[in-house]
Amino acid sequence: MAVLVCGGAGYIGSHVTRALIDNGEEVVVLDNLITGHVDAVHEKAKLVLGDLKDEEFLDRVFRENKIDGVIDFAAFSLVGESMTEPLKYFENNFYGTLCLLKAMQKHGVKNIVFSSTAATYGEPENIPILETDKTIPTNPYGESKLAVEKMMKWCDQAYGIKFTALRYFNVAGAHPSGDIGEDHSPETHLIPIILQVALGKRDHIGIFGDDYPTADGTCIRDYIHVMDLADAHILALKRLYKGGDSAIFNLGNGEGFSVKDVIEVSRKVTGHPIPAVVSPRRAGDPAKLVASSEKAIKELNWKPKYNTLDEIIATAWKWHKNHPNGYED
Ligand code: UDP
């Protein structure tokens, strides 16, 4: 039996695929390669190229492979773009997963682990954020993910498809080998952009606002290592296989770091001065997002191993240094 990893050629999907294979699982990666990279896919995974919205293709994938669990990463994830192109996000992220659930129902596949996000919460009421807190997304990206969570709840009730939604905070780092890592085009995330400065590909890092109500005025985020995230997916899938109920879990480190903290640690890790320039706020950025992951630690028995920002940035640096042009190298 195999695990179907939708979006397995992307940043998080490729690391989870690698962890599944290292864990002895058979993996089928489905990807349309719009944002994914063939070279990110582990050689032992079977790669099928196509789109979740292509129902005939999906039907064939389920017919031709013995799939007993699905992990779904296939989504667009640029918050800013989702504000100007909401329909692109609902079509790809919501309708794509709708087609996937239809195929699962047709083929009697009952377990799905879904890649959700802290963006489902919107502006948090409490820190750290609990899974039971209010979900009022402030952008279509978060709304499209929340809509899928709701759709899965009804599919569980009607068809008995069990889901685990994992709400990620700020995912960072790379496989410790330095063989796979983050490669987005355009790159919008803080750590890869900072490391591009260290590589000499940019002059400086722009700090998006230093007048937030935080100690140093810059936004605070909870950075979680991509390999710790991968472990959580495997634990979540195993829990479903053992008959676990549908559930939602936050995945973060439970500790907040400001943009200035991240720049400072990156200077230490890379030995590069990394010039920083304060620029205007980016629309839609909450001042502070920090997770409570107690539920995942308790119920999934999840033990994040990369507990310091130094370790997280060091693995990202290894990848970026070895592959300054990402998968083009
Ligand atoms: N950020 C920044 N400069 C950049 C990119 C990001 O100051 O060039 C800030 C951003 O405003 C946020 C934090 O870094 O407070 C993390 O942003 P990222 O895009 O990495 O993740 P997000 O929190 O949006 O998921």
Side-chain angles (χ1 to χ4, degrees):
M1 297 299 272
V3 180
L4 177 66
V5 180
C6 304
Y11 169 45
I12 303 172
S14 60
H15 286 77
V16 172
T17 296
R18 171 95 180 228
L20 284 165
I21 286 169
D22 289 345
N23 209 49
E25 299 284 346
E26 198 182 315
V27 181
V28 178
V29 165
L30 181 160
D31 208 292
N32 60 13
L33 297 181
I34 291 180
T35 54
H37 308 274
V38 173
D39 292 339
V41 180
H42 196 283
E43 60 194 18
K44 285 192 183 152
K46 174 176 173 184
L47 176 61
V48 289
L49 295 181
D51 198 291
L52 282 185
K53 299 186 293 303
D54 179 347
E55 294 193 39
E56 269 174 38
F57 159 72
L58 208 49
D59 193 43
R60 209 166 52 241
V61 172
F62 276 87
R63 258 191 286 117
E64 291 175 359
N65 299 279
K66 288 200 173 101
I67 292 159
D68 56 354
V70 173
I71 308 184
D72 182 23
F73 300 98
F76 292 139
S77 61
L78 299 178
V79 168
E81 183 187 63
S82 81
M83 296 292 278
T84 53
E85 295 184 66
L87 293 176
K88 176 173 171 181
Y89 278 70
F90 284 101
E91 182 177 31
N92 194 56
N93 298 3
F94 183 79
Y95 181 64
T97 305
L98 184 154
C99 295
L100 176 62
L101 288 163
K102 253 170 103 173
M104 288 175 67
Q105 189 229 344
K106 182 172 171 192
H107 293 273
V109 179
K110 300 286 186 194
N111 305 300
I112 178 166
V113 176
F114 177 67
S115 161
S116 190
T117 168
T120 53
Y121 294 108
E123 195 71 49
E125 285 186 316
N126 305 301
I127 297 288
I129 302 172
L130 292 167
E131 291 83 353
T132 46
D133 286 352
K134 274 192 193 150
T135 44
I136 309 174
T138 50
N139 54 66
Y141 167 64
E143 195 79 74
S144 68
K145 291 283 184 176
L146 185 60
V148 172
E149 288 188 3
K150 291 181 178 171
M151 173 166 61
M152 292 191 300
K153 187 190 86 175
W154 296 109
C155 290
D156 177 4
Q157 194 164 307
Y159 316 128
I161 297 176
K162 299 290 169 201
F163 73 90
T164 307
L166 300 176
R167 292 180 177 162
Y168 315 151
F169 282 66
N170 286 63
V171 187
H175 191 274
S177 64
D179 294 342
I180 51 173
E182 197 167 1
D183 180 5
H184 295 118
S185 180
E187 188 52 75
T188 63
H189 293 112
L190 180 64
I191 293 174
I193 293 182
I194 290 175
L195 297 180
Q196 285 177 355
V197 179
L199 284 171
K201 298 182 78 178
R202 294 178 191 248
D203 295 343
H204 66 271
I205 175 75
I207 297 175
F208 295 156
D210 68 348
D211 56 352
Y212 284 94
T214 60
D216 67 18
T218 66
C219 288
I220 291 178
R221 293 290 180 273
D222 181 339
Y223 294 89
I224 181 72
H225 197 278
V226 67
M227 292 312 295
D228 284 332
L229 213 65
D231 287 345
H233 286 75
I234 295 176
L235 292 167
L237 193 63
K238 286 191 172 156
R239 181 178 158 280
L240 289 179
Y241 285 164
K242 282 194 208 134
D245 270 338
S246 292
I248 296 173
F249 296 98
N250 285 340
L251 296 179
N253 255 320
E255 202 181 343
F257 293 95
S258 72
V259 173
K260 284 187 178 169
D261 290 334
V262 177
I263 297 170
E264 208 39 61
V265 171
S266 302
R267 287 176 178 142
K268 202 170 78 185
V269 168
T270 63
H272 188 282
I274 311 181
V277 175
V278 176
S279 56
R281 287 184 176 198
R282 183 172 70 178
D285 273 341
K288 191 170 179 184
L289 290 175
V290 179
S292 163
S293 301
E294 290 308 310
K295 188 178 172 195
I297 290 167
K298 223 192 275 166
E299 293 181 29
L300 291 178
N301 200 20
W302 182 50
K303 296 183 190 77
K305 297 181 191 79
Y306 293 85
N307 300 119
T308 68
L309 195 53
D310 295 61
E311 290 171 281
I312 294 176
I313 294 176
T315 61
W317 181 229
K318 186 170 178 186
W319 154 255
H320 286 284
K321 221 171 24 171
N322 290 348
H323 305 267
N325 299 310
Y327 288 100
E328 271 177 36
D329 290 319

